[in-house]
């Protein structure tokens, strides 16, 4: 072979030609089905605000693949922190309820940064209505006296109503006086009582309509006075004092 180098060259050329023919035949036998296909496109999604699909924006919003050993990146927005408002007034932040007062009234909360509430003045209750005037009236007079140390007095009762009426006489004699006796002229007797320096006589029978009845009483040790300091019939002051 050393004397015939062309034989080696010819053999090499022949081998290369055969290999080239085999390669071309193999390539043509594959056809278009075995041609290299492009990579699959990324999926697209329709955005609700515009209705137009933007592949670049959708691809940017897709989650990244998880690599073993790495923590996936957080894509959602963390919740916003709610600020805590601390109200001055105590360790509990102002959540304590005000303590009711002795009367059971809860005072209003005090605003440390504003004007203090002014206490309200309680409205006094209206005065009680005056009792209706009694139709039975009385007139005082002195029937007899002894050196201003004792006297017999009279309260003449008169009924102005059209029906019979009961009555009550209250009389305050001079200080230190002693009641000797009391009576009603010409009518059934009632009930006398002396208590706390006040003489009270309650009728035993009603006074008829348009009629009059005299109540008489004897007091002694009057201390130089023969007139009472007060006289009423059913709460109405007597005349004649």
């Amino acid at each position: 072979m050393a004397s015939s180098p062309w034989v080696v060259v010819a053999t090499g050329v022949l081998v290369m030609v055969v290999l080239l023919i085999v390669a071309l035949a193999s390539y043509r036998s594959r056809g278009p089905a075995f041609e290299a296909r492009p990579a699959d496109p990324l999926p697209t999604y329709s955005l609700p605000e515009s209705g137009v699909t933007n592949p670049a924006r959708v691809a940017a919003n897709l989650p990244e693949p998880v690599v073993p050993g790495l923590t996936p990146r957080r894509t959602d927005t963390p919740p916003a922190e709610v600020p805590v408002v601390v109200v001055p007034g105590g360790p509990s932040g102002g959540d304590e309820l005000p303590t009711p007062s002795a009367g059971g009234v809860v005072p209003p909360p005090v605003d440390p940064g504003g004007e203090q509430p002014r206490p309200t003045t309680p409205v006094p209750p209206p005065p009680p209505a005056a009792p209706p005037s009694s139709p039975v009236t009385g007139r005082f007079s002195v029937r007899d006296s002894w050196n201003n140390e004792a006297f017999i007095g009279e309260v003449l009762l008169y009924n102005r109503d059209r029906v019979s009426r009961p009555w009550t006489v209250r009389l305050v004699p001079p200080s230190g006086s002693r009641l000797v006796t009391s009576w009603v002229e010409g009518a059934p007797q009632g009930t006398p009582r002396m208590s706390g320096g006040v003489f009270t006589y309650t009728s035993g029978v009603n006074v008829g309509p348009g009629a009059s009845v005299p109540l008489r009483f004897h007091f002694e040790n009057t201390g130089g006075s023969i007139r009472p300091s007060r006289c009423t019939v059913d709460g109405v002051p007597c005349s004649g004092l």
Side-chain angles (χ1 to χ4, degrees), residues 42-44 47 53-62:
L42 296 174
T44 60
L47 300 179
T53 302
N54 190 340
R57 296 178 58 185
V58 173
N61 293 331
L62 291 178

Side-chain angles (χ1 to χ4, degrees), residues 171-177 193-200 219 229-230:
L171 184 141
V172 180
S175 178
S177 299
R193 184 175 72 254
M194 189 73 182
S195 176
V198 179
F199 169 66
T200 303
F219 283 97
S229 60
R230 184 180 180 186

